[in-house]
Amino acid sequence: MLKLKNVLANFKKQFLSISKHPYFGFIVLGLIFLFALFLRNMGLLTISVINTFTLVMIYSVVAMGFSLLLGFGGLASLGTAGLVGLGSFIMGYFHGIGGMSFGMTIVISIIIALAVGLLVGFISLRIEGMYLAIITLGLGEMLRQFFISYDTFTGGFTGTSLRSFKIFGKLFESGNDNYFNTVYIIVIICFILAMVATINIIKSPTGRALLSMKNSESAAQSMGISIIKYRLLAFILSSVFAVLGGVLYILHTKFSYPPQWNLSYSLDILAAVIVGGAQSIYGIIIGVFLIFGLKVSVLNYIPFFSNNPALIVIFNGVLIVLVVMFYPGGLIRLLQTSWFKLKIKLAKIKMKWRTYRYGKDDE
Amino acid sequence: MAKMMNNLLIKVYQQILIRIEDKAKFKKDYSEVVLARKRLRAENRINSFEDNLSAKCLVLALKYSVNNDATKELIASKVQKIENKFYWRKRALKTSFERKSAKAEDKSAVEKTFFDKARELDNELSKEIETINQKYSGIKSNLEQYNTEVKELEIKTLEKIAQIERKSASSLEDFKKKTDNKIELLNKFGKYFKDKLFALVDQTKINNYGLDEDVILRLDNLTMRFGGLLAVDHLSFDVKEGEIFGLIGPNGAGKTTVFNCITKFYKPFDGKMYFRKNKIDTVFLNDYKVHQIIKQGIVRTFQNVELIWELTVIDNLLVAAHTLFKTGFFGQLIHTRKLRQEELVLRKKAENVLTKIGLLAYKDSYPLGLPYGILKKIELARTLMVEPKMIILDEPAAGLNDAETLELAKLIKMIRDEEKVTIFLVEHDMGLVMDICDTVCAISFGKRLAIGTPKEIQENKLVRDAYLGEE
């Protein structure tokens, strides 16, 4: 008996030490999403829930790249939509139409993202704040116009659709459960990898360098951090994340048309990062769920909102105003503080119970 | 041609030597950290075994009902627990009785039931206490058996502890031997290259830009112009190695501009700046960019503290150690083992620096909201992370009170003596400057007024005129 107790205590200790590792939470989150797929195949969840989850994961990947740029680098960008669109069209053109292999397409998309990120970074070198946002907005719109007019690549105004994809020599045709499940699993894997990459960047000298660039450029420079290098790096990282998000997007929805990648999409990503908390991965996921997931899963089914979609934008706007006014650190800060308060309250209740049970008060 | 070749070779050898020395140093630091960790772990294990032993002895003592202090305490605490429980039950009974007696007409009946119940409770309590006593001391005490079993246990645990000690010692030795071998090999290589380097240096005349042996920094006709304003006007002076050099002057004299020129925040309009990086290498500072200056061995602080407010104090120091991280971006992306080792070593180093400055208590707090004096000290600690040759302090005492200034003076002197660095500072607090500086240079409107020991400066007429106005 005593030995079993020891073994259990040891196990608990080890589990606690493992659960403190940041990867643990990510993998648990991925498993929860995977369990949702399992439930749907059992017939317990509707397909719309899985759709919501997929979209939340895809947009989280984009938002994580954006948070590296905004939350850590302190650089505002409004050209995210163009990059996501670019990713989707690369997938649609090179893999869907051109018949290039899946891995090669990913490599090409990363290379293109790198080039675009470098370009934006170089343009932005001497520009800060508002003006940077305006310039990136211009770049995003340029990309959109490019998508519309260059129709051999994007299919023009009607867009591209992806009917099937091939991975590891296996062909997946759209329209059946097999396709759906495979895409969902690919999205989960990419989501976990993106989270791992993000936390690794944040908790390494690069993350600190980005933060110091945001806080004080002169201090960063005098500590040997090259502003040019890290600005370019921030832009490159965010564009690679965005383009990969686009690739996942077209895999999931099977189509992409240019007018979709407009300013309001970029603003939604910005809103998601700000509402959730620009420096926390879980915060970003919460933000993405509030901005995108609620729209897809809840608000579209309420007649009040679905009859006039402009109200959804207003809802998002009110959310941003409230969060920025009361919780500048994002909703994750609110959750953390309330969790802390709850803990204190529970401890107080426990103390009261103990004094009631064992303590003697002076009469 | 031969000279050029030699110069090139010298540069190559130097690079190799730096790499080897860095690696050897890293290995040494890492082995120290790991050894300390392993020792701590072994100690913890031994402690846990000792704790376990005492717990087991207590169990045995209860089993054989040996009346030592520990068992008595245990029994007393159990009795106390039960008494407390009954106290509350009794109290509840009492309150209910009071409520009932206030309502009821026939008070005597209620009273009677109450007393009955109270007596029952008392009986129960005494019974439970008796059972506890029986449980733990009802059996006849058996000292002999207890002693033998305890002895067995002690021998067992002692054996285990000895085993752990032997194991940890052997593993420590192995680790130490391995790293020592590696370090020795590296040192051998280093010595080989060092000999070659020095032989080459003796052969060729190295361009040290005409700097004297003891001069570390030379400004030659430095001029800085902002539009029509001449902020620094043909300023030239030498800073000697290992001294505390003070630059003073009235407001707007161009002191901070000189600093910004040296650290390349401004591009000098005209003039040359030389810095002696080490015995062999002298660098022409005009050729370098802002972020390369720290690699030459010059670190600076700022007039109004420039810290990274979103990072903890120790992370701020790690930002300063940015150039010491050798892992590339992709290594950081997957958190390689090397990066973790580097992080461990540099974190330990940061802790050491903080201990030296006396800020270890603020290690994990955010700088936002800390007192101004401590922020200044954090900036000072930040400069020490890279083991610089020269520290440039921009008004270190600005905003500090008298006590803090005195402490700062002590600290600056301590840093100079212990780290063997040159300190170059701008200051308005004349008391501090005259107290700690070896050489003082006074400037006014970008021009040099005088240079010399503090006493000479104090007696200089030009300086007095600049500060107090002409008579």
Side-chain angles (χ1 to χ4, degrees):
Chain A
M1 195 61 204
L2 215 103
K3 263 189 181 171
L4 188 71
K5 234 181 194 175
N6 274 345
V7 168
L8 277 178
N10 215 351
F11 184 75
K12 197 180 164 191
K13 218 173 164 184
Q14 274 188 0
F15 178 77
L16 280 178
S17 75
I18 289 170
S19 68
K20 269 176 195 161
H21 200 281
Y23 294 178
F24 179 80
F26 302 157
I27 288 166
V28 165
L29 198 61
L31 285 179
I32 289 170
F33 283 133
L34 200 65
F35 188 65
L37 181 70
F38 179 68
L39 285 184
R40 130 128 177 105
N41 287 342
M42 299 257 290
L44 293 173
L45 278 179
T46 55
I47 197 158
S48 67
V49 176
I50 304 290
N51 262 335
T52 313
F53 282 169
T54 322
L55 281 181
V56 164
M57 279 190 272
I58 292 169
Y59 292 151
S60 297
V61 172
V62 179
M64 271 178 239
F66 190 71
S67 85
L68 283 178
L69 191 66
L70 179 77
F72 287 86
L75 305 160
S77 159
L78 289 175
T80 329
L83 289 162
V84 180
L86 189 65
S88 65
F89 291 125
I90 288 169
M91 191 68 191
Y93 182 73
F94 285 102
H95 189 70
I97 300 168
M100 205 175 266
S101 74
F102 194 86
M104 203 58 209
T105 318
I106 297 279
V107 170
I108 281 179
S109 66
I110 287 174
I111 288 170
I112 291 176
L114 226 135
V116 174
L118 262 178
L119 187 77
V120 181
F122 267 119
I123 290 169
S124 80
L125 274 184
R126 298 207 171 270
I127 308 161
E128 312 233 340
M130 276 267 291
Y131 301 99
L132 183 61
I134 292 168
I135 280 205
T136 48
L137 168 66
L139 283 168
E141 290 298 298
M142 263 164 62
L143 273 173
R144 190 162 67 93
Q145 288 303 324
F146 167 77
F147 296 152
I148 290 173
S149 56
Y150 192 64
D151 50 4
T152 48
F153 175 53
T154 63
F157 203 79
T158 47
T160 317
S161 56
L162 187 80
R163 302 234 172 277
S164 63
F165 73 96
K166 213 175 175 182
I167 185 165
F168 297 129
K170 269 187 181 176
L171 188 73
F172 294 96
E173 298 261 359
S174 69
N176 57 7
D177 261 11
N178 203 6
Y179 180 92
F180 188 80
N181 291 349
T182 318
V183 169
Y184 191 70
I185 288 167
I186 289 175
V187 169
I188 287 178
I189 291 169
C190 287
F191 176 60
I192 292 175
L193 285 181
M195 284 197 287
V196 167
T198 313
I199 196 93
N200 281 353
I201 291 167
I202 291 169
K203 298 216 164 162
S204 69
T206 307
R208 287 194 288 262
L210 286 175
L211 257 183
S212 58
M213 189 172 83
K214 178 187 173 190
N215 278 261
S216 158
E217 276 197 6
S218 45
Q221 280 175 323
S222 73
M223 294 304 144
I225 292 160
S226 162
I227 297 292
I228 298 174
K229 188 183 158 192
Y230 282 95
R231 270 203 170 193
L232 290 183
L233 189 70
F235 273 109
I236 287 171
L237 278 174
S238 86
S239 54
V240 166
F241 274 73
V243 165
L244 287 180
V247 168
L248 294 178
Y249 180 83
I250 199 172
L251 277 182
H252 172 64
T253 52
K254 293 158 225 149
F255 69 90
S256 159
Y257 63 103
Q260 183 183 358
W261 309 113
N262 54 6
L263 174 64
S264 92
Y265 182 85
S266 304
L267 285 176
D268 277 353
I269 291 282
L270 177 75
V273 169
I274 288 175
V275 166
Q279 289 184 9
S280 151
I281 286 175
Y282 294 112
I284 290 163
I285 295 166
I286 291 169
V288 168
F289 183 77
L290 279 179
I291 299 292
F292 291 102
L294 267 190
K295 188 160 75 181
V296 178
S297 65
V298 180
L299 295 186
N300 277 351
Y301 294 100
I302 301 172
F304 178 68
F305 283 110
S306 61
N307 289 342
N308 27 355
L311 281 176
I312 296 179
V313 182
I314 292 174
F315 173 79
N316 287 349
V318 170
L319 203 65
I320 294 174
V321 169
L322 286 179
V323 166
V324 171
M325 269 176 77
F326 296 110
Y327 299 98
L331 281 178
I332 192 76
R333 196 62 60 79
L334 168 70
L335 286 182
Q336 279 166 355
T337 46
S338 50
W339 170 243
F340 191 63
K341 274 178 192 169
L342 191 76
K343 255 185 176 175
I344 290 175
K345 241 176 206 179
L346 281 177
K348 269 184 187 170
I349 290 169
K350 217 174 173 184
M351 277 306 289
K352 262 189 188 171
W353 163 244
R354 276 193 182 160
T355 46
Y356 170 73
R357 181 128 197 257
Y358 302 122
K360 273 181 187 170
D361 52 350
D362 304 321
E363 285 189 24
Chain B
M1 193 66 201
K3 200 185 163 192
M4 259 180 74
M5 202 51 210
N6 275 348
N7 274 332
L8 200 76
L9 264 179
I10 286 175
K11 267 185 190 164
V12 171
Y13 282 149
Q14 252 182 319
Q15 281 301 317
I16 295 171
L17 198 63
I18 287 170
R19 294 249 165 115
I20 289 172
E21 276 174 356
D22 276 0
K23 208 165 186 184
K25 196 167 169 280
F26 174 72
K27 282 254 155 75
K28 205 183 160 198
D29 288 349
Y30 179 65
S31 76
E32 269 171 23
V33 173
V34 168
L35 286 179
R37 257 180 151 198
K38 281 190 172 176
R39 255 176 232 132
L40 195 75
R41 211 172 284 165
E43 250 172 50
N44 279 345
R45 269 194 85 184
I46 288 168
N47 281 344
S48 77
F49 267 111
E50 278 165 2
D51 288 351
N52 230 343
L53 175 70
S54 58
K56 274 178 185 170
C57 284
L58 185 61
V59 171
L60 280 181
L62 286 174
K63 192 177 169 192
Y64 296 117
S65 76
V66 178
N67 279 336
N68 56 17
D69 292 343
T71 50
K72 268 179 198 165
E73 241 174 58
L74 198 96
I75 289 167
S77 77
K78 289 211 166 176
V79 167
Q80 179 88 23
K81 239 183 188 175
I82 280 171
E83 272 177 358
N84 279 339
K85 197 173 147 192
F86 274 88
Y87 165 79
W88 284 105
R89 281 176 77 177
K90 227 178 185 178
R91 211 177 131 167
L93 196 68
K94 208 174 173 186
T95 46
S96 78
F97 158 68
E98 275 164 8
R99 218 183 296 127
K100 272 181 191 167
S101 68
K103 274 185 199 168
E105 291 166 9
D106 187 12
K107 278 181 185 174
S108 59
V110 177
E111 227 166 67
K112 204 187 169 195
T113 51
F114 166 69
F115 280 124
D116 284 352
K117 274 185 182 173
R119 216 173 294 133
E120 258 175 45
L121 271 183
D122 280 344
N123 285 340
E124 241 177 84
L125 176 65
S126 56
K127 252 185 206 170
E128 291 223 9
I129 289 170
E130 215 170 274
T131 50
I132 284 171
N133 282 329
Q134 262 180 10
K135 199 176 172 189
Y136 293 116
S137 51
I139 314 159
K140 243 187 174 180
S141 101
N142 200 340
L143 244 174
E144 270 179 33
Q145 205 158 350
Y146 168 76
N147 279 339
T148 51
E149 287 206 17
V150 164
K151 239 176 209 172
E152 268 176 29
L153 262 180
E154 269 177 355
I155 288 165
K156 255 187 195 172
T157 42
L158 277 177
E159 263 178 14
K160 264 185 184 168
I161 285 171
Q163 211 178 342
I164 288 166
E165 271 176 348
R166 234 178 294 133
K167 246 188 189 174
S168 77
S170 72
S171 77
L172 284 180
E173 230 165 60
D174 279 3
F175 185 80
K176 220 177 175 182
K177 238 182 204 171
K178 262 186 195 171
T179 44
D180 278 354
N181 281 341
K182 277 178 193 167
I183 289 167
E184 211 172 285
L185 201 71
L186 282 171
N187 281 340
K188 246 183 208 171
F189 273 119
K191 215 194 160 201
Y192 173 75
F193 281 108
K194 222 177 197 171
D195 290 347
K196 270 203 158 178
L197 185 67
F198 279 120
L200 264 177
V201 168
D202 286 343
Q203 275 176 29
T204 47
K205 212 180 169 194
I206 295 165
N207 183 14
N208 63 354
Y209 302 100
L211 249 67
D212 297 333
E213 276 287 297
D214 57 343
V215 174
I216 188 163
L217 177 80
R218 168 169 290 175
L219 300 192
D220 191 6
N221 282 322
L222 183 74
T223 307
M224 186 69 209
R225 196 189 276 280
F226 297 109
L229 180 77
L230 203 62
V232 182
D233 186 8
H234 295 284
L235 185 70
S236 37
F237 57 78
D238 287 352
V239 179
K240 289 193 180 98
E241 195 160 357
E243 72 176 350
I244 299 179
F245 188 94
L247 190 64
I248 60 168
N251 281 332
K255 304 172 302 270
T256 305
T257 312
V258 172
F259 274 12
N260 282 341
C261 283
I262 294 171
T263 47
K264 301 294 292 179
F265 274 89
Y266 298 152
K267 208 173 171 206
F269 186 75
D270 192 21
K272 289 159 185 156
M273 297 175 297
Y274 308 107
F275 180 70
R276 188 188 292 282
K277 199 172 162 187
N278 48 40
K279 266 182 190 169
I280 302 157
D281 226 4
T282 308
V283 291
F284 183 49
L285 281 181
N286 295 37
D287 289 346
Y288 291 90
K289 284 181 184 158
V290 199
H291 61 269
Q292 290 167 335
I293 291 296
I294 194 168
K295 277 185 193 163
Q296 316 309 321
I298 302 178
V299 204
R300 68 168 294 177
T301 65
F302 294 87
Q303 196 168 339
N304 25 1
V305 282
E306 298 265 358
L307 291 168
I308 291 94
W309 306 105
E310 288 174 75
L311 287 175
T312 54
V313 171
I314 196 157
D315 279 346
N316 264 295
L317 294 205
L318 285 178
V319 167
H322 185 83
T323 49
L324 300 182
F325 281 97
K326 297 281 186 281
T327 322
F329 173 73
F330 290 102
Q332 293 177 16
L333 200 62
I334 52 173
H335 258 233
T336 50
R337 198 176 157 178
K338 197 185 158 200
L339 178 72
R340 273 176 275 152
Q341 289 178 357
E342 278 179 347
E343 186 106 12
L344 210 66
V345 168
L346 288 172
R347 224 165 251 279
K348 186 79 204 161
K349 192 177 176 184
E351 275 173 18
N352 287 344
V353 168
L354 283 177
T355 334
K356 200 180 281 170
I357 304 285
L359 290 178
L360 196 64
Y362 297 98
K363 194 177 89 174
D364 289 324
S365 54
Y366 287 87
L368 203 67
L370 290 181
Y372 200 70
I374 283 166
L375 295 182
K376 286 252 165 191
K377 271 189 184 174
I378 295 169
E379 268 212 328
L380 202 57
R382 198 165 65 170
T383 62
L384 293 179
M385 275 304 285
V386 283
E387 293 167 15
K389 288 280 284 181
M390 186 158 112
I391 298 175
I392 295 181
L393 302 173
D394 200 348
E395 302 208 10
L400 303 187
N401 61 27
D402 287 352
E404 282 172 331
T405 309
L406 277 178
E407 206 181 323
L408 185 80
K410 244 188 218 169
L411 198 64
I412 290 174
K413 269 188 180 170
M414 195 262 293
I415 287 169
R416 194 267 305 263
D417 294 341
E418 284 191 5
E419 309 280 319
K420 298 190 174 57
V421 293
T422 315
I423 286 170
F424 182 12
L425 56 89
V426 156
E427 190 46 70
H428 274 301
D429 191 326
M430 283 305 140
L432 180 74
V433 171
M434 297 305 164
D435 180 24
I436 64 173
C437 285
D438 302 318
T439 315
V440 177
C441 176
I443 61 174
S444 174
F445 294 110
K447 274 185 185 150
R448 196 177 89 184
L449 291 180
I451 185 166
T453 57
K455 210 173 182 189
E456 283 168 14
I457 295 294
Q458 277 172 348
E459 285 159 3
N460 193 303
K461 194 173 176 301
L462 280 173
V463 178
R464 278 192 193 178
D465 287 349
Y467 268 94
L468 305 171
E470 285 175 50
E471 282 174 33

